[in-house]
Amino acid sequence: MANSVTVNKKATRRTFTCSFFREDATPLVQLSTLVTGSNRDEFRETYGHILLMLTTRIDEWGLYTLLQFYDSELSCFTFQDYQLAPTFEEYADILKIKVQRKIPFVCVPEKPKMDRIASALYLSMKDVTDNWKPNGGTHGFYVRFLMKKAEALAIEKKWKEFNALLAVMIYGLVMFPNIPNFIDLTAICLFMDQNPVPTLLADTYYAIHSRYGKKGLVGGCLRILYEWFSSHLPKSGAFVTTRDSQKWPQRIMGLTANDIVWCCIRMSIEEVITSCGSFDNVPLIGTKGVINYNPRLALRQLGFVLKDKPLDKEIFESVCFEKGTDLEGLEKVRSA
């Protein structure tokens, strides 16, 4: 059962009106409680801290307030005297998953290799062929099948196999949701590729940008976006002591650049990706669309000093289109 929380608020300026959609992750949360002790360390070593995506508690008013500051021209969040923008490096740090030096996920294969899927999920070929089902124009596994297998593996204490099924369900229901109660081929490919951060960042920007000025659902990227936003907010003082959720606008407007937590002390970054191929900024390929982001606006977040004002060509919208509508543009981004 899905949760859909709609926030309606009157404003004197253009607002970001949306509904927040989140797949009900309660069954996965219950499964995740079995990941304890040394197995928890093994899970994190193999799949990163994606369990965080099950436990992050989202304050809808806080998230809604953040979206009101989205700057569609610069693809970032512009506040009174500072700007914030999600980055590869920050998402990778939150999830403890490195961005790999290879082409990120572009599209699902026309003919997936079933033996590779079986191997990655520790399933028999019979399990795969018997339970590989069509749904909504794609193929994949229904959650009830994977849940049943995971519960049986937990009883048998086969934790490596259990961890794989739990992880792929987090990918399919929380990180890259598409069809309710269904883990589609896209999520499975991203799970097997082990390089989810570029796609997750792309989905964040595309979901927000495509909904700007429109009514509609924003989902999938919510937990990581809220976790990222929270990492930059003050951890003490008046901002923290003011707990009334509906006062988020006043709380945010009361912050200055000096109040923001700019750089996470855990990150040790020597190089930042600020451009890609022939693009003066960084194009991102997501599961739904293609869009650029402007890391030069986020250098302060990563511990660097922005010495000069970015050139217009470095921060303009170089690419933004829905997947499947511009194959030539997609190939140009893939090549870059």
Side-chain angles (χ1 to χ4, degrees):
M1 182 177 179
N3 297 324
S4 182
V5 180
T6 304
V7 183
N8 295 312
K9 185 181 178 184
K10 294 181 179 179
T12 57
R13 63 182 180 87
R14 189 180 186 186
T15 60
F16 193 111
T17 304
C18 66
S19 297
F20 298 140
F21 176 83
R22 287 178 287 160
E23 189 77 25
D24 182 15
T26 302
L28 293 187
V29 173
Q30 293 172 345
L31 270 188
S32 70
T33 61
L34 302 176
V35 183
T36 58
S38 61
N39 185 45
R40 188 177 185 87
D41 295 335
E42 181 66 27
F43 187 98
R44 288 177 172 176
E45 179 68 23
T46 306
Y47 303 111
H49 287 203
I50 64 173
L51 291 175
L52 184 69
M53 298 296 94
L54 296 178
T55 58
T56 297
R57 298 183 64 181
I58 298 174
D59 185 322
E60 281 86 7
W61 274 104
L63 195 57
Y64 180 78
T65 301
L66 169 66
L67 295 178
Q68 302 314 307
F69 292 92
Y70 179 68
D71 189 327
S72 62
E73 294 184 1
L74 299 179
S75 294
C76 69
F77 299 99
T78 298
F79 300 90
Q80 298 187 102
D81 62 343
Y82 61 92
Q83 293 171 315
L84 292 172
T87 65
F88 282 129
E89 294 80 4
E90 291 171 306
Y91 270 29
D93 182 68
I94 291 171
L95 295 178
K96 298 297 181 288
I97 300 175
K98 292 182 179 180
V99 178
Q100 299 185 30
R101 291 182 176 272
K102 64 179 183 180
I103 297 175
F105 169 81
V106 177
C107 57
V108 298
E110 292 184 7
K111 294 183 178 180
K113 296 181 179 179
M114 307 307 287
D115 58 337
R116 186 174 174 228
I117 293 174
S119 177
L121 300 182
Y122 299 98
L123 296 172
S124 68
M125 280 299 297
K126 186 177 188 307
D127 276 337
V128 173
T129 55
D130 288 353
N131 293 279
W132 189 252
K133 305 294 183 181
N135 192 349
T138 184
H139 286 74
F141 298 111
Y142 281 95
V143 171
R144 60 178 178 269
F145 159 67
L146 295 177
M147 287 289 294
K148 185 177 180 180
K149 291 292 295 186
E151 290 166 353
L153 291 168
I155 293 173
E156 298 174 27
K157 299 189 183 302
K158 294 183 177 180
W159 298 118
K160 179 185 289 187
E161 296 85 348
F162 171 88
N163 289 349
L165 296 187
L166 175 59
V168 78
M169 285 190 282
I170 294 174
Y171 270 68
L173 292 183
V174 181
M175 295 170 65
F176 305 103
N178 184 27
I179 301 171
N181 300 310
F182 192 74
I183 311 302
D184 70 359
L185 181 56
T186 295
I188 294 170
C189 286
L190 283 159
F191 167 78
M192 294 191 299
D193 196 45
Q194 298 182 341
N195 189 35
V197 171
T199 310
L200 195 57
L201 186 66
D203 280 0
T204 299
Y205 278 104
Y206 189 77
I208 297 170
H209 197 86
S210 62
R211 293 262 55 85
Y212 182 74
K214 305 175 184 177
K215 293 182 179 179
L217 294 173
V218 175
C221 58
L222 295 180
R223 285 179 171 85
I224 187 73
L225 178 63
Y226 187 76
E227 191 72 27
W228 166 81
F229 183 42
S230 298
S231 72
H232 287 288
L233 296 177
K235 304 300 185 287
S236 61
F239 180 85
V240 176
T241 56
T242 304
R243 298 185 179 278
D244 186 346
S245 292
Q246 296 192 20
K247 289 186 177 181
W248 267 97
Q250 297 95 309
R251 295 168 71 196
I252 295 299
M253 290 299 293
L255 297 177
T256 68
N258 292 327
D259 298 314
I260 296 299
V261 179
W262 284 106
C263 183
C264 176
I265 60 174
R266 297 189 306 268
M267 294 192 296
S268 179
I269 299 171
E270 298 179 357
E271 181 183 10
V272 178
I273 301 170
T274 57
S275 62
C276 184
S278 61
F279 293 89
D280 290 301
N281 44 32
V282 179
L284 304 169
I285 302 174
T287 61
K288 306 294 185 185
V290 180
I291 189 171
N292 70 278
Y293 94 109
N294 302 313
R296 281 185 175 82
L297 298 177
L299 289 177
R300 187 175 180 182
Q301 297 166 212
L302 304 175
F304 295 87
V305 176
L306 184 62
K307 296 180 180 179
D308 300 305
K309 179 182 177 181
L311 301 175
D312 289 343
K313 68 176 184 176
E314 296 173 338
I315 56 175
F316 83 111
E317 183 180 292
S318 59
V319 60
C320 182
F321 56 86
E322 184 180 357
K323 249 335 191 9
T325 62
D326 186 351
L327 297 181
E328 184 178 343
L330 179 63
E331 176 58 26
K332 182 180 178 181
V333 172
R334 190 204 66 79
S335 298

